[in-house]
Amino acid sequence: MSTVCSPLAALTAHAAEDPERVVLRDLDGQQLSRQGLLDAVAAMVGHLAGQGIGEGQVVGLLVSDGIPWTVSLLALESLGVCPVLLPDFFSDQQLVAILADSAVQVVIADRSGSARLAQVGVLLLAPWSAGLSRGSAVVALARGQGMQRVYSSGTSGQPKGVVQHTALLDAKAAALIEVVGASDQDHVLSILPMALLLEQMVAVRAALQVGAQVTFAQQVLRQDVPQALVAVAQACEPTIAVLTPDLLKAWVAGLAQGQRRAPASLRFLAVGGAGVAPTLAEVAWRLGLPVYEGYGLTETCSVATVNRPGQRVAGSVGWPLPGVRVVIEKGEVVIESEHLLAGYHHAPEVNGACGRWYTGDLGRLAKDGSLEIFGRRDARLVLSSGRNVSPEWVESALLADPRIAYCCALAIDDPTPVAVVEAQRGQDLIQIEALARALVAGLPPYARPERLILVEPGTFAARGVLTGNGRLQRQRALALWGTGCPAATLS
């Protein structure tokens, strides 16, 4: 396995070799060299220490943009503080619930985050900015087993605090570096929200370990995503990025609309968070997007398996990372590894002593050792016909075409699944109905939706059917569309 070290220790070593090499940049033209990043962390350490922030405290982090988020995180780790990562895509109600659950009294928040928490009653501190004076702070390189708390909304929308050892996060980052073959010649394009553990693992912990350059482009998520992705990638010429299936679909749509190909610099696009329709992956590869599907949970330090460069199996989520073993018990995927959560907040013994995590996902191991995921154990649709159908089976067929933004398969009172379908913006709903029926035509009759519920673009997000990171809340969908929606009508 690659040498394991903390981001700050690696940064210090790289800065000694080439202090002026740019390591972080954003779309607004701000950039930091290796030494500049060290100086920025030292400035933030001094700023926080001056506010009485020190070892053993728990501090929230609610910052949207990548550079100030990264500097702030590294400063908190240097001080021996336990950061609580507050996703900016969580609702105000979820954020308040997290603060109450963690008993957080201090939050580092940008202007937007401060406005959201103005009435909560916590001390709000500004993140790092270029105008922050360095002072005489010294950055500590080692704090032993630091902790980090990552809140996952899950499918219920109720945040759960996953407690992670930072040393294990760094070990998992080293495993990722090994299988991807990452080096200081790589250029990471960071798009996903920084509070997502996978983005932190790749764009901060792995990138700083190898000395790669990172361009933060979270602004893309607040723009016309398909066109913005195409433009940013062409301008930056990255080699690596992490995507959700939704972002992959948007990138494919943007390239197809402009009849363009992705930049030739790209060599590894990790896609996870949900299943990737095989047809979508095939189209992406034809457009120059090198898709490598992976699998993992926040509880397993984000990544457990991934396809390798030059060794991809279409339809699978690849092979276990070094230090990870996957077994199947009664159809359920079980992860065996030392790279697992320390516990949930308020439930420290959840992991037990055996280093095993029952994922709740159904899957199988192929003869070559690669893993296939079929869906959640607790999400099976029990139809009035008496048949059981995995909703992901139906949804994967529908999501194979980028003109469909989201879909959710439900079991109501029908002998076949009911599919709620949201079109991409600009699509004609009558044509989408015909497209959806064609996409599911290959399913067996018992799994083929006879009833379609077509909804306007933006409906899934506006009506709370999606968590902040794009996961379906099936119970919410069932509450909205479980009764009273005729076939192929606009909801």
Side-chain angles (χ1 to χ4, degrees), residues 22-26 30-32 37 67 70 208 214 216:
V22 173
V23 63
L24 303 183
R25 65 171 75 238
D26 63 23
Q30 182 172 234
Q31 63 182 39
L32 289 174
L37 178 53
I67 291 180
T70 300
L208 289 180
V214 181
F216 293 108

Side-chain angles (χ1 to χ4, degrees), residues 78 137 203 243 275 313 362 378 411:
S78 174
L243 305 173
V313 175
L362 300 171
D378 56 6

Side-chain angles (χ1 to χ4, degrees), residues 300-326:
T300 64
C301 289
S302 187
V303 186
T305 70
V306 70
N307 277 285
R308 271 61 161 172
Q311 195 182 4
R312 173 181 175 267
V313 175
S316 85
V317 291
W319 292 264
L321 291 180
V324 176
R325 181 170 177 259
V326 175

Side-chain angles (χ1 to χ4, degrees), residues 236-431:
C236 296
E237 296 188 333
T239 61
I240 293 173
V242 179
L243 305 173
T244 60
D246 289 344
L247 279 175
L248 175 63
K249 185 181 297 185
W251 202 339
V252 166
L255 291 171
Q257 289 167 12
Q259 297 184 332
R260 307 180 68 172
R261 286 183 56 81
S265 59
L266 283 170
R267 70 176 192 84
F268 194 91
L269 289 180
V271 185
V276 181
T279 305
L280 175 63
E282 291 174 13
V283 174
W285 274 93
R286 289 200 296 268
L287 293 172
L289 296 171
V291 173
Y292 292 93
E293 302 89 334
Y295 167 77
L297 307 168
T298 303
E299 289 85 350
T300 64
C301 289
S302 187
V303 186
T305 70
V306 70
N307 277 285
R308 271 61 161 172
Q311 195 182 4
R312 173 181 175 267
V313 175
S316 85
V317 291
W319 292 264
L321 291 180
V324 176
R325 181 170 177 259
V326 175
V327 297
I328 307 296
E329 292 189 6
K330 298 180 179 179
E332 182 176 0
V333 178
V334 181
I335 305 297
E336 297 182 344
S337 173
E338 64 178 15
H339 305 147
L340 298 176
L341 78 168
Y344 289 121
H345 187 48
H346 299 314
E349 300 303 322
V350 68
N351 187 37
C354 59
R356 308 183 90 227
W357 187 255
Y358 288 81
T359 66
D361 289 317
L362 300 171
R364 77 175 183 91
L365 290 169
K367 290 182 179 180
D368 62 5
S370 61
L371 176 65
E372 296 178 31
I373 299 293
F374 303 133
R376 296 289 297 170
R377 175 184 288 277
D378 56 6
R380 285 188 177 255
L381 305 180
V382 181
L383 304 171
S384 64
S385 62
R387 302 298 295 266
N388 291 349
V389 173
S390 168
E392 290 88 353
W393 186 18
V394 179
E395 291 156 3
S396 177
L398 287 163
L399 292 172
D401 193 291
R403 288 171 287 183
I404 292 178
Y406 299 105
C407 65
C408 182
L410 303 173
I412 304 179
D413 294 323
D414 298 52
T416 64
V418 174
V420 185
V421 177
E422 178 182 316
Q424 293 282 6
R425 296 190 185 279
Q427 297 296 322
D428 179 88
L429 290 181
I430 295 177
Q431 293 180 358

Side-chain angles (χ1 to χ4, degrees), residues 163-199:
V163 181
Q164 303 278 13
H165 290 294
T166 54
L168 292 183
L169 295 179
D170 293 331
K172 180 59 72 72
L176 278 170
I177 289 166
E178 180 178 334
V179 301
V180 174
S183 74
D184 62 356
Q185 298 304 303
D186 277 308
H187 181 180
V188 178
L189 179 61
S190 175
I191 305 166
L192 294 175
M194 296 305 299
L196 292 179
L197 185 57
L198 179 57
E199 194 64 26

